[in-house]
Amino acid sequence: MVTLKVLFWICLFIVFYTYIGYGMLLYVMVLIKQLFCKTSQAPILPDDDQLPDVTLMICAYNEEDIIREKMENIRQIDYPANKFCVMWVTDGSNDGSNDLLKQYPEVTLVYSPERKGKAMAMQHGLKVNKAEYVVFTDANTMLNANAIREIVRQFMKPNVSCVSGEKRVAARTNDQIAAEGEGLYWKYESTLKQWDSDLYSAMGAAGELFAVKMSDYREAPTNALLDDFMMSMLIVKDGHRIAYTSKAYAMEYGSANMYEESKRKRRIAAGGLQSIWWLRSLMNPLKYPVVSFLFISHRVLRWSITPFTMLALIPLNIALVALNAGVIYTVIGILQLIFYAAAALGWLQTKTGRHGGLLYVPYYFLFMNVNVFRGISYLRSHSTSGTWEKAKRG
């Protein structure tokens, strides 16, 4: 029974630390740093004629339906036109994307007739790029007008070679539970990214909006399922920082439904496992004392160990209750039962098309962890290719 108790509390601690404890600890560490270290003021941008050249790169596959909306959004961006290059890299697109993009004189169009995946498309575009700073964004995400200026401001901070903007998720309808769950997740994730950045460096950037300094750029493997994450973390591995800013944000609609959202989560989970292996040297606390703490706490546990410990808690709790190990195990068992019952009710509501309300919180949390297991299978079948089927948005 002692062994069961030890295993139970280890599993419970890992689950608690991953999703709650790490955020609490990180918040305290940031407060201590701000208390004892002088907080530098936000850098002041130079005059427009002194701003650096920037390329905004959009890697796209068959995005004809969204191009006009995206270009209208780009034309609203506040940055000097003579220092701003808009580059579209169409990766094997066979719709009308190329013909449509040729109608925009400000667009530099880079076309590959064969679809090779986003990582290869990025590399193709970067061979044409001439600017020191490249901002990557997706075709279906809309940027705020000051996004580029705020990203350039972050590059003025010491040792910053990558900047991650904020991802915001919108729902077209009130009953779009996939968008609600994803939006709630990203609000919490954005908070952790900000604290990571405040302590030392954000742990990776999302493809919806991030930027790199080309003199410190490192190519991601062409078969990377999370090319944006790998590209940004290779910069961290070289000793540079990723700055996070919520003042530059990308807005997109959530997945059309939970089936489409599952496509995303499976790929992200698979890419997470793939990235952990490639970046395993970052877990060495002797070489990377701060980064290893952030990387393991924020990424490694969530993408690998924690879903398994969460699953193990069920049989361990049942066994300890059956052995009359103590009231505490009965209480925790009841709490587990309530959680899974709430998640099941949330799932049933999505099946009936009704608004999930508070029930989507446990449902989406469980949904994310289940897709980690599905991601293992996905990785086996997609480990040699950087292409994937994109999820349909709402």
Side-chain angles (χ1 to χ4, degrees):
M1 184 183 295
V2 174
T3 301
L4 287 177
K5 287 182 178 180
V6 171
L7 288 174
F8 176 84
W9 288 107
I10 289 175
C11 290
L12 186 61
F13 172 78
I14 290 174
V15 173
F16 174 81
Y17 176 78
T18 301
Y19 295 109
I20 300 176
Y22 170 60
M24 295 169 63
L25 178 60
L26 186 61
Y27 176 68
V28 172
M29 293 176 74
V30 170
L31 286 181
I32 294 173
K33 179 183 177 182
Q34 292 173 346
L35 184 63
F36 290 98
C37 299
K38 184 179 179 180
T39 304
S40 59
Q41 297 295 322
I44 299 174
L45 287 174
D47 295 335
D48 282 4
D49 60 345
Q50 298 297 317
L51 287 172
D53 292 343
V54 174
T55 293
L56 179 67
M57 184 182 296
I58 305 102
C59 297
Y61 170 71
N62 287 353
E63 296 285 4
E64 178 184 11
D65 294 341
I66 200 70
I67 286 175
R68 285 188 176 88
E69 183 180 354
K70 181 68 173 181
M71 287 305 302
E72 182 179 346
N73 172 251
I74 289 174
R75 285 178 168 178
Q76 301 302 314
I77 291 177
D78 178 21
Y79 204 79
N82 64 329
K83 295 177 175 290
F84 188 45
C85 171
V86 180
M87 181 184 295
W88 283 76
V89 184
T90 55
D91 179 41
S93 294
N94 52 23
D95 60 354
S97 295
N98 293 328
D99 292 335
L100 184 54
L101 287 167
K102 289 176 183 177
Q103 298 177 19
Y104 295 91
E106 68 268 40
V107 169
T108 298
L109 178 60
V110 180
Y111 171 61
S112 173
E114 181 183 353
R115 190 183 182 197
K116 297 181 179 180
K118 191 175 179 181
M120 285 291 288
M122 285 179 171
Q123 292 178 21
H124 191 188
L126 290 175
K127 290 178 182 178
V128 180
N129 166 67
K130 297 178 181 179
E132 170 67 348
Y133 300 103
V134 178
V135 180
F136 299 94
T137 186
D138 291 338
N140 64 342
T141 60
M142 305 301 148
L143 310 184
N144 62 308
N146 290 326
I148 305 302
R149 288 183 181 270
E150 291 301 329
I151 286 172
V152 170
R153 189 192 308 276
Q154 296 300 314
F155 277 119
M156 296 172 65
K157 294 180 177 180
N159 202 30
V160 170
S161 296
C162 179
V163 177
S164 174
E166 181 170 284
K167 173 182 175 178
R168 300 183 183 181
V169 181
R172 289 191 186 273
T173 59
N174 289 332
D175 60 351
Q176 196 178 336
I177 190 171
E180 291 186 29
E182 187 183 359
L184 181 69
Y185 166 77
W186 274 103
K187 287 178 183 177
Y188 179 63
E189 177 67 12
S190 296
T191 301
L192 291 181
K193 282 187 175 183
Q194 185 64 69
W195 291 343
D196 284 343
S197 179
D198 291 343
L199 186 66
Y200 175 69
S201 169
M203 287 295 101
E208 286 79 11
L209 179 59
F210 78 106
V212 297
K213 183 179 180 181
M214 288 307 301
S215 55
D216 294 324
Y217 161 76
R218 297 292 180 268
E219 284 188 359
T222 55
N223 61 327
L225 294 172
L226 293 182
D227 42 79
D228 42 17
F229 180 78
M230 277 300 304
M231 186 189 300
S232 58
M233 288 303 292
L234 287 173
I235 289 175
V236 174
K237 188 176 180 180
D238 282 348
H240 306 290
R241 296 170 52 224
I242 303 172
Y244 178 83
T245 175
S246 61
K247 293 182 178 179
Y249 60 85
M251 180 72 74
E252 69 174 350
Y253 290 107
S255 300
N257 50 55
M258 295 307 290
Y259 173 75
E260 295 297 326
E261 179 67 357
S262 181
K263 290 181 184 178
R264 290 184 63 255
K265 290 303 181 187
R266 275 178 282 170
R267 177 181 66 83
I268 291 171
L273 291 169
Q274 184 186 58
S275 301
I276 288 171
W277 177 249
W278 285 341
L279 297 167
R280 59 192 180 276
S281 62
L282 289 180
M283 290 185 273
N284 182 351
L286 298 179
K287 188 174 182 180
Y288 304 97
V290 180
V291 170
S292 62
F293 161 69
L294 296 172
F295 183 51
I296 293 171
S297 299
H298 196 162
R299 298 300 184 186
V300 176
L301 290 176
R302 191 184 300 186
W303 283 340
S304 59
I305 298 172
T306 303
F308 290 91
T309 58
M310 186 175 170
L311 179 63
L313 279 173
I314 300 173
L316 286 170
N317 205 165
I318 292 173
L320 288 168
V321 170
L323 293 170
N324 294 317
V327 176
I328 184 65
Y329 300 103
T330 302
V331 172
I332 295 175
I334 292 172
L335 292 175
Q336 282 206 77
L337 183 61
I338 293 172
F339 168 79
Y340 286 107
L345 288 173
W347 174 76
L348 287 173
Q349 287 194 335
T350 64
K351 290 297 181 181
T352 58
R354 289 185 292 166
H355 190 272
L358 290 176
L359 293 175
Y360 76 71
V361 177
Y363 168 56
Y364 194 81
F365 178 80
L366 187 60
F367 169 83
M368 290 192 303
N369 280 278
V370 167
N371 277 286
V372 171
F373 296 100
R374 302 179 74 180
I376 296 172
S377 175
Y378 187 99
L379 180 58
R380 290 197 187 114
S381 59
H382 292 76
S383 61
T384 59
S385 173
T387 62
W388 64 82
E389 181 185 358
K390 63 183 179 181
K392 296 177 182 178
R393 292 290 174 173

